[in-house]
Amino acid sequence: MLSKRKESIADFSDIEHRLNTIAKINDVEWINDSKATDISATCFSMEVIEDPIVWIVGSNRREKDLNLIENIIKDKVCKIICYGAFDTSIKYAFTRFVDKYAYKSTLEDAVNIAAKWSDKGDVVLFSPACTSYPNYIDYRERGDHFIELIKMLK
């Protein structure tokens, strides 16, 4: 019988760019959740992951309701890498709960930092919690870019 986590992830694994495991590199699982375009979708994703999370989150002008995710950050996220056009309030809201925080302007730089910071048993969760604009046409293009970056890590 599958655990509750495995059942939840299995329900979404057929949806492209939604909780898809892309690779396991050096005992670190890399998950593409590019379809998570708002904070509530990211919140769900974090809830079903049991291992420590290195969260790659996007930034845009729209503010996120960070109250929704604060307790999950405290319990599950060990590091946050924010990428995009500009730094957001995520840094100020959560740095006291995580071991490390970084802001990078590109997804490529964010992935490289996540690769350096992740430890055996971690899950690197690419769950942007924002729209893909202005850097990508849509979440699919953004997710495909993430997949290509992970392939280059191997």
Side-chain angles (χ1 to χ4, degrees):
M1 181 167 199
L2 290 173
S3 71
K4 198 172 208 177
R5 173 195 181 255
K6 296 289 184 190
E7 286 176 3
S8 297
I9 289 177
D11 289 344
F12 283 94
S13 64
D14 291 336
I15 301 171
E16 190 177 25
H17 304 293
R18 184 71 169 122
L19 284 172
N20 302 132
T21 296
I22 302 306
K24 195 153 192 174
I25 303 168
N26 299 324
D27 290 319
V28 174
E29 185 176 3
W30 291 79
I31 295 179
N32 176 12
D33 196 34
S34 181
K35 189 164 175 36
T37 58
D38 61 46
I39 202 75
S40 61
T42 294
C43 184
F44 172 82
S45 299
M46 289 181 178
E47 285 177 345
V48 300
I49 294 172
E50 296 172 348
D51 298 316
I53 297 170
V54 176
W55 180 28
I56 300 177
V57 58
S59 66
N60 61 10
R61 291 190 186 275
R62 188 173 294 169
E63 285 296 315
K64 297 169 178 52
D65 180 4
L66 300 177
N67 293 325
L68 180 65
I69 203 166
E70 183 173 330
N71 287 333
I72 293 170
I73 297 290
K74 288 179 192 176
D75 293 340
K76 296 191 172 191
V77 176
C78 55
K79 298 163 186 101
I80 297 173
I81 301 117
C82 188
Y83 82 94
F86 40 97
D87 208 351
T88 67
S89 58
I90 288 174
K91 175 180 181 178
Y92 306 105
F94 298 135
T95 52
R96 67 187 184 275
F97 303 133
V98 296
D99 297 333
K100 293 182 179 179
Y101 171 89
Y103 167 74
K104 297 295 174 186
S105 59
T106 68
L107 180 55
E108 182 176 8
D109 289 341
V111 166
N112 288 332
I113 289 292
K116 288 177 187 172
W117 285 0
S118 57
D119 297 316
K120 180 180 178 179
D122 285 348
V123 170
V124 176
L125 176 64
F126 174 53
S127 191
C130 66
T131 63
S132 55
Y133 306 108
N135 300 316
Y136 302 95
I137 295 169
D138 58 20
Y139 73 87
R140 290 176 190 91
E141 182 182 53
R142 176 175 62 191
D144 289 342
H145 185 213
F146 177 75
I147 291 167
E148 288 304 314
L149 293 170
I150 301 314
K151 287 179 183 177
M152 292 176 12
L153 289 177
K154 290 184 174 181

